[in-house]
Amino acid sequence: MSKFLYGKGCVSPFLMTAFVYLLMIPLPAFAIACYEPSPSVVAGDNIFEYKKAETLSLSEQRTLQSFFKKIDRQWQGSANRVTCVGSELNARQVKRKTNISMEADGDYRRDMTFRSEIYNPERKTRYSEKFSLYLIDDFLRMDSRGPDGDIEIMRIATNELIFLQRYFVRKLKPAKPEEDKPVKPVPPVSIQPLPAIPINPLPSIQPVDEVTTLPIGPSQPRDGRKRNTRPAEDEQEEEVVYSPGGVLNEVVRHLVIKGRALQIETTVYTNGYLASSEKWQLR
């Protein structure tokens, strides 16, 4: 059964301090530092360690419900995305701009579902994204009402929510070569020429903007992991294995209300190092 690796209701002060430190690094407007360490690494945590989720206090739950009520409506805006590709010593950034229409829909069960339609004007492609948050059994969970949806709360305020989701994507092992077997001789076959058939051109194939991978159960990596390169989402590049078992993703989502505007920033760290970041500006 698929399961997130890690979730806590209350963040440690060391992890929160590390996250604030990363936010305070002076950078130009929406610039990222490729391969910078994740807040967990800065705090000295073992990102592969499984930890049990903790419940939210009644005060945190009331504050979270107040925040949900403020964003429960339709939103329009744009997004800027930066993806890191290449090696750590020769990193480059692939940038993308999109237009967004998002509906944040709450219900009586204290659930909040985010449905987004995203249009890429450069590629002229359109796709959808969706995720849900569930306030259930004194936990805040994502995309599942059970323990496999546990996430880590980094900050809850009336105008702000920051949470961390961790999941492990296991690498498929290459198929083993078959043992050498004697090959039987094949008799020659006469081939008759086929009549000429007109060939119709194939329709153009649009590239896929997003790929969703399902998390699977926790796994302990072997010693001697080495970080070399990042696979690109927007370009076809050779993918390098970060660890023998697979890849641990940490996804930090930062939602903040500023007046009548809503900003959602999603930062992805792969095996403890920044891989991509996307900022949505909505009204």
Side-chain angles (χ1 to χ4, degrees):
M1 180 178 178
S2 297
K3 183 177 179 64
F4 294 120
L5 281 183
Y6 176 86
K8 293 199 301 178
C10 299
V11 65
S12 69
F14 297 103
L15 182 56
M16 190 64 232
T17 302
F19 182 74
V20 172
Y21 168 77
L22 292 177
L23 290 180
M24 293 176 63
I25 296 176
L27 293 172
F30 192 59
I32 66 174
C34 287
Y35 305 117
E36 73 178 4
S38 73
S40 303
V41 173
V42 173
D45 290 349
N46 180 357
I47 62 174
F48 291 94
E49 180 183 357
Y50 179 81
K51 297 182 180 179
K52 187 178 179 181
E54 296 179 3
T55 58
L56 301 180
S57 67
L58 291 177
S59 175
E60 288 175 319
Q61 293 182 49
R62 287 193 292 266
T63 302
L64 186 60
Q65 287 182 276
S66 175
F67 178 81
F68 282 169
K69 288 180 181 179
K70 292 181 180 180
I71 63 174
D72 188 357
R73 66 178 181 88
Q74 294 277 351
W75 300 87
Q76 303 286 335
S78 61
N80 289 282
R81 180 182 179 86
V82 178
T83 303
C84 298
V85 297
S87 66
E88 180 182 1
L89 298 178
N90 189 27
R92 68 184 189 276
Q93 299 181 354
V94 177
K95 299 181 180 181
R96 183 182 67 189
K97 293 184 178 181
T98 54
N99 300 322
I100 298 174
S101 174
M102 187 188 78
E103 178 188 18
D105 183 20
D107 65 15
Y108 70 94
R109 293 180 298 183
R110 304 192 295 176
D111 300 343
M112 178 64 68
T113 300
F114 299 81
R115 300 181 182 88
S116 304
E117 293 293 328
I118 302 169
Y119 176 69
N120 186 329
E122 182 179 355
R123 294 183 175 180
K124 294 182 172 54
T125 56
R126 192 181 304 273
Y127 59 94
S128 301
E129 287 186 359
K130 174 187 173 182
F131 70 90
S132 298
L133 296 176
Y134 305 112
L135 185 54
I136 183 171
D137 298 332
D138 299 332
F139 292 93
L140 179 62
R141 290 169 170 157
M142 179 176 174
D143 292 337
S144 172
R145 292 184 173 87
D148 56 330
D150 288 343
I151 56 180
E152 176 178 354
I153 304 302
M154 303 179 73
R155 177 172 170 79
I156 294 178
T158 55
N159 291 321
E160 187 176 24
L161 171 65
I162 307 173
F163 63 90
L164 169 64
Q165 171 200 19
R166 300 189 186 190
Y167 62 92
F168 192 81
V169 180
R170 191 181 302 280
K171 295 283 186 183
L172 296 179
K173 295 182 178 180
K176 296 182 178 179
E178 296 183 359
E179 297 180 358
D180 295 336
K181 296 180 180 180
V183 180
K184 296 181 179 180
V186 179
V189 179
S190 60
I191 301 176
Q192 300 296 327
L194 296 175
I197 301 176
I199 300 176
N200 296 323
L202 295 175
S204 61
I205 300 176
Q206 298 293 338
V208 178
D209 275 84
E210 301 294 332
V211 178
T212 302
T213 55
L214 295 177
I216 64 174
S219 175
Q220 293 293 334
R222 301 174 187 172
D223 293 333
R225 291 191 305 272
K226 185 177 181 181
R227 175 167 47 87
N228 291 322
T229 65
R230 280 280 306 126
E233 291 185 0
D234 295 332
E235 295 183 0
Q236 294 182 352
E237 293 201 356
E238 183 179 359
E239 185 175 3
V240 176
V241 178
Y242 279 75
S243 65
V247 172
L248 188 282
N249 289 324
E250 298 175 274
V251 183
V252 177
R253 287 182 171 87
H254 184 185
L255 293 74
V256 58
I257 300 172
K258 297 181 178 180
R260 294 184 56 82
L262 172 63
Q263 177 180 294
I264 301 177
E265 185 168 357
T266 303
T267 306
V268 180
Y269 298 88
T270 300
N271 280 5
Y273 297 92
L274 193 148
S276 67
S277 187
E278 184 167 12
K279 182 179 289 187
W280 295 9
Q281 302 285 0
L282 306 167
R283 288 187 175 273

